[in-house]
Structures are given as structure tokens and as C-alpha cells.
């Protein structure tokens, strides 16, 4: 017993060091598992609240640019609307399609916190359960696809952006109609990798990449980015470097997309797995 | 309470706030961020017991985790490691004539340029290696990881030295 005490006293710094290392490892393992849960903890909500207060202060700095962007988007939407209004002026009978529902509902939100310098990046937006925002809803902006909602609290939500290795988005090359999977390699926050496109498909630098209709989180044909470079990797598949259309550092206003069919498709898929 | 204890508590809080609101928003190149808060561990006086330094390092890392990452324990791990090895690195680097433990804290002026730079470099490399290896646990790209560690260490060391030069006065020039 005496020797044990002497051992502890002698090596107390080393023992303390090992204990604290163990504690940090336990914390790391626990929080990464905790991330799987869909609800944000009290700590994260408080943090999100603090982020929003800070963002309230800094938002004025980028007000002018943001207004210009919204103006641009308005012009685009107005032109599209004009197109729809101009179609079929002779045929004036209105028909309401009662069977088909509106597929997607958009909700505007503001980003209160962004990280682009980590490996596991994430965004925080100022809508949550109170605004009927839940996990697995897509987030897009006027520039293109942003990410997926992963966790929510009463009035905030955490978004998993494309620039996180855990994020996988199914995409389509517009010109060749080939489908691929977009993921991030943690190198550059303006670039991502598109994999799974077979070698026989004609890919060119500058090709536009949009969301595929396979993804039931995002609406189809939302801009993702353009092909920056490509090379053949792992046998006969391309590895395409995509420059993302969204600049996460400048992003402020986004839309949360609620897909009406998502829950149905999801339950169908999960049911068939069993 | 000792005045220096209050000074270090204030420094602790100040460095965490700076890391959260200033340095975490600085991005050199694409993914390089200066981690300046470890300056606190580097300059803690050597009169403090090693166990106290280890505990303080752990608390510092945990606080930074709490504010800047989603993974608790990431910075805590890296900080605990350098908090423990700080003493050994210092012992290996300190000038031979310092038999009476004249060096109370490590600054450029008390240690001299070369030993101080080495001291900072070794500890920053240690910290960043722990941090990035743990963060990119699932990504198997060792060459990129190595370059990332080296470049980010360079950025952090530059910022730490700049802060030292800006805020720590030469005690000899004062007298």
C-alpha cells in the first residue's frame, strides 16, 4: 500500500496527463455519436443564439451586396414568371390539378454561423422546429445547393454543407446526362469531387452540374457547380473536380426546401430494407 | 490573490474570445487557420506545478472545443499533450547557465530568439499533429495531411511570434 502511494505521488503528473487524455477521447467518441442524434442539445442552442446576436451586428456590412443578389434573383424569377404567363394565351380554361400536390415548399432563412476552415464544417440557420423545419430537408440558395438539415432545436437548425466529408449528394452532368455522387475531400472549400461517372461519357471542362432527380432531398436541376478538371481514377471511372457555385464564406440568405414526397419515399425505402 | 494569477485568468478568457471571434475567421489560403490560443500554454510561468499546467491546458482546450467545434475533446486532447510535454521541451532547450531558474516564463526576451523559436515550433507541431490527425480520422491521405500540418503550423507560429513581438515588452529595455 505504501509503495502504491509513493508511486502515485511520484508519477502524479503522468497519471493526471493520461487521465485527461482518456477523458478527451471519451468526450470525442461521445460527441461524435451524439451528432447522430437529430436534436440539438441545450449547449448548441445557446451557441446558436449567441451566433445570431453577433450576426445581427455584422450583417449590415454585407447589406449592399446581399441586396444586389436578391435583386438579381428577383429579376431571374420575374423573367421565368413572364415565360409562364406568356404561354397559352388563347387557351384560357383554368384547370386545377387536385391530385398532384405541390412537391416542394420553400422557406427563407438566414445563416447565423458558418465554418469553412474545418474538416467537419457546418452551418447554423435561424429556423427550427417552430417553423416546421426538420432533419433531412434540403437547403439551397440563389447560387445553388447548400446542404442538408441534420439537427434542429426550437428556433435553430444545423446544416450539413457539401463541404463536409459526411455529405453525399447525387448530381447530374447537364450536357451528357450522366449521374454521379458529389463528396468533399477536405482540401478546398470552393471545390468538391464528383465520382461514379463512367469513362465512356464525354466530360468537358466547364460542364454544368446540377442536382439529380434521384435525390429526394433537393428539387431536381438546382445548380451545384461546373467541371474544373477531371482524370480517370480507379479503373474506368472519372474523378471530376467540381468548382462549387456557392461561396460558403459569402453566403447569407438561403431557402429550406421541404419535399412533400420525401417522408413517403423514405419510409418506403426503409420498409423494403427490412 | 496573487496579481499574476488574475492576469493569467484574464489572458485565458481573452485568448479564447480572440480565437473564437477573430482567428477562427482568418483563413490563409484554403484551409489554414492560425491557432493562437495555445500561446497561453507556452507562456505559463514555470513556477506552476506541472500537474496544474496539464489541468489548465485541458481546460483551455475544452473551452475552445466548446466554442469553435462540434467535437468536444479535440482541442482538449491536443492541449493536454503539449501541456504535459512543455516542461520536457523547455528543459532540453534552456540555456546551460540558467542554473538558478532565472527564466520565469518563456518569451523571446527571456529565452533568446533561437531557443524560443525551437520551443514554439516543437510544441505547435505537436499540437497541430494531434489536432489534424484526430480531426481527419477517416480520411486516408497521409501526404496531404502532412502538408496541412506543416503549413498550418507555419501560419500559427507566425501569428504567435507576431503577438509576442507586439504585446510582450523586453524587461531589459524598461529598466
Amino acid at each position: 500500500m505504501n509503495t502504491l502511494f509513493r508511486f502515485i505521488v511520484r508519477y502524479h503528473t503522468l497519471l493526471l496527463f493520461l487521465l485527461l487524455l482518456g477523458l478527451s477521447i471519451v468526450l470525442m467518441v461521445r460527441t461524435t455519436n451524439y451528432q447522430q442524434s437529430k436534436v440539438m442539445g441545450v449547449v448548441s442552442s445557446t451557441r446558436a443564439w449567441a451566433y445570431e446576436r453577433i450576426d445581427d451586428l455584422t450583417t449590415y456590412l454585407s447589406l449592399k451586396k446581399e441586396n444586389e443578389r436578391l435583386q438579381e434573383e428577383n429579376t431571374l424569377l420575374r423573367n421565368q414568371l413572364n415565360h409562364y404567363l406568356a404561354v397559352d394565351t388563347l387557351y384560357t380554361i383554368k384547370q386545377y390539378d387536385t391530385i398532384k400536390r405541390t412537391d416542394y415548399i420553400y422557406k427563407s432563412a438566414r445563416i447565423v454561423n458558418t465554418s469553412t476552415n474545418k474538416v467537419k464544417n457546418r452551418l447554423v440557420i435561424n429556423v427550427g422546429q417552430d417553423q416546421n423545419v426538420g432533419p433531412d430537408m434540403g437547403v439551397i440558395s440563389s447560387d445553388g445547393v447548400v446542404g442538408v438539415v441534420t439537427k434542429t432545436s426550437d428556433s435553430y437548425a444545423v446544416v450539413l454543407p457539401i463541404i463536409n466529408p459526411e455529405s453525399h449528394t447525387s448530381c447530374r452532368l447537364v450536357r451528357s446526362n450522366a449521374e454521379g455522387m458529389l463528396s468533399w475531400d477536405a482540401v478546398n472549400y470552393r471545390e468538391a469531387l464528383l465520382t461514379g461517372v463512367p469513362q465512356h461519357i464525354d466530360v468537358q471542362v466547364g460542364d454544368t452540374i446540377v442536382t439529380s432527380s434521384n435525390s429526394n432531398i433537393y428539387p431536381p436541376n438546382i445548380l451545384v457547380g461546373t467541371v474544373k478538371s477531371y482524370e480517370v481514377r480507379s479503373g474506368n471511372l472519372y474523378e471530376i473536380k467540381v468548382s462549387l457555385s456557392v461561396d460558403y464564406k459569402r453566403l447569407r440568405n438561403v431557402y429550406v426546401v421541404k419535399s412533400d414526397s420525401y417522408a413517403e419515399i423514405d419510409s418506403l425505402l426503409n420498409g423494403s430494407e427490412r | 490573490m496573487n496579481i499574476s494569477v488574475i492576469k493569467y485568468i484574464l489572458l485565458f478568457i481573452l485568448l479564447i474570445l480572440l480565437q473564437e471571434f477573430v482567428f477562427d475567421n482568418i483563413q490563409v489560403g484554403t484551409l489554414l487557420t492560425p491557432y493562437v490560443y495555445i500561446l497561453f500554454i507556452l507562456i505559463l510561468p514555470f513556477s506552476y506545478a506541472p500537474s496544474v499546467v496539464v489541468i489548465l491546458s485541458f481546460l483551455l482546450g475544452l473551452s475552445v472545443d466548446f466554442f469553435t467545434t462540434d467535437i468536444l475533446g479535440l482541442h482538449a486532447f491536443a492541449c493536454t499533450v503539449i501541456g504535459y510535454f512543455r516542461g520536457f521541451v523547455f528543459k532540453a532547450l534552456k540555456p546551460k547557465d540558467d542554473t538558478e531558474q532565472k527564466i520565469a516564463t518563456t518569451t523571446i526576451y527571456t529565452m533568446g530568439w533561437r531557443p524560443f523559436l525551437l520551443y514554439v515550433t516543437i510544441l505547435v507541431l505537436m499540437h497541430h499533429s494531434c489536432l489534424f490527425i484526430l480531426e481527419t480520422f477517416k480520411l486516408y491521405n497521409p501526404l496531404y495531411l502532412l502538408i496541412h500540418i506543416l503549413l498550418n503550423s507555419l501560419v500559427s507560429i507566425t501569428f504567435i511570434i507576431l503577438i509576442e513581438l507586439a504585446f510582450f515588452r523586453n524587461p531589459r529595455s524598461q529598466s
Side-chain angles (χ1 to χ4, degrees), chain A residues 59-267:
Chain A
T59 192
Y60 294 103
L61 299 174
S62 58
L63 213 53
K64 199 177 163 206
K65 268 219 176 91
E66 205 50 48
N67 268 337
E68 276 166 15
R69 269 185 41 188
L70 290 177
Q71 185 85 38
E72 251 170 51
E73 198 190 1
N74 265 343
T75 320
L76 187 82
L77 292 177
R78 204 168 269 274
N79 283 336
Q80 278 177 4
L81 185 70
N82 208 21
H83 173 76
Y84 285 115
L85 287 175
V87 167
D88 264 359
T89 44
L90 290 176
Y91 190 71
T92 51
I93 301 166
K94 280 181 182 164
Q95 282 182 321
Y96 291 106
D97 191 344
T98 49
I99 297 170
K100 191 170 161 42
R101 296 162 299 181
T102 50
D103 274 347
Y104 298 99
I105 300 166
Y106 297 84
K107 198 160 284 179
S108 74
R110 198 181 73 190
I111 291 181
V112 293
N113 188 262
T114 323
S115 74
T116 54
N117 54 1
K118 301 196 174 55
V119 172
K120 290 181 178 161
N121 292 303
R122 50 117 183 81
L123 316 172
V124 181
I125 55 176
N126 67 344
V127 290
Q129 279 156 6
D130 287 352
Q131 286 81 23
N132 281 329
V133 168
D136 294 328
M137 288 187 188
V139 178
I140 63 171
S141 76
S142 54
D143 288 344
V145 167
V146 175
V148 188
V149 173
T150 50
K151 286 195 284 184
T152 51
S153 72
D154 284 347
S155 42
Y156 298 99
V158 173
V159 179
L160 181 78
I162 292 174
I163 51 165
N164 185 316
E166 284 163 26
S167 139
H168 298 281
T169 318
S170 64
C171 294
R172 187 168 62 86
L173 284 155
V174 173
R175 210 168 49 81
S176 50
N177 240 353
E179 304 257 343
M181 192 60 93
L182 190 79
S183 55
W184 194 56
D185 54 352
V187 175
N188 187 337
Y189 76 99
R190 296 303 313 271
E191 284 166 12
L193 290 179
L194 186 69
T195 49
V197 180
Q199 202 188 341
H200 65 266
I201 282 166
D202 174 31
V203 178
Q204 278 172 21
V205 172
D207 278 359
T208 313
I209 294 160
V210 296
T211 51
S212 114
S213 46
N214 285 349
S215 144
N216 39 32
I217 291 173
Y218 304 109
N221 301 323
I222 301 283
L223 185 65
V224 174
T226 51
V227 174
K228 196 184 179 201
S229 62
Y230 56 89
E231 56 183 306
V232 178
R233 274 273 177 89
S234 60
N236 52 2
L237 294 175
Y238 278 121
E239 190 181 86
I240 301 170
K241 207 166 243 179
V242 181
S243 63
L244 297 171
S245 61
V246 169
D247 182 350
Y248 284 93
K249 284 199 127 178
R250 299 213 162 69
L251 204 60
R252 283 210 169 256
N253 293 306
V254 291
Y255 303 100
V256 179
V257 189
K258 188 184 181 209
S259 162
D260 254 359
S261 48
Y262 178 78
E264 199 177 326
I265 295 172
D266 197 45
S267 69

Side-chain angles (χ1 to χ4, degrees), chain B residues 47-96:
Chain B
S47 54
Y48 288 19
S51 47
V52 175
V53 174
V54 170
I55 292 172
L56 282 176
S57 308
F58 177 76
L59 288 178
L60 180 76
L62 203 63
S63 323
V64 170
D65 275 331
F66 191 77
F67 284 115
T68 63
T69 58
D70 277 345
I71 312 162
L72 277 180
L74 193 67
H75 285 270
F77 186 95
C79 284
T80 315
V81 168
I82 62 165
Y84 182 70
F85 286 106
R86 183 186 88 124
F88 299 107
V89 175
F90 176 72
K91 236 175 240 165
L93 286 171
K94 78 174 169 189
K96 295 274 184 312

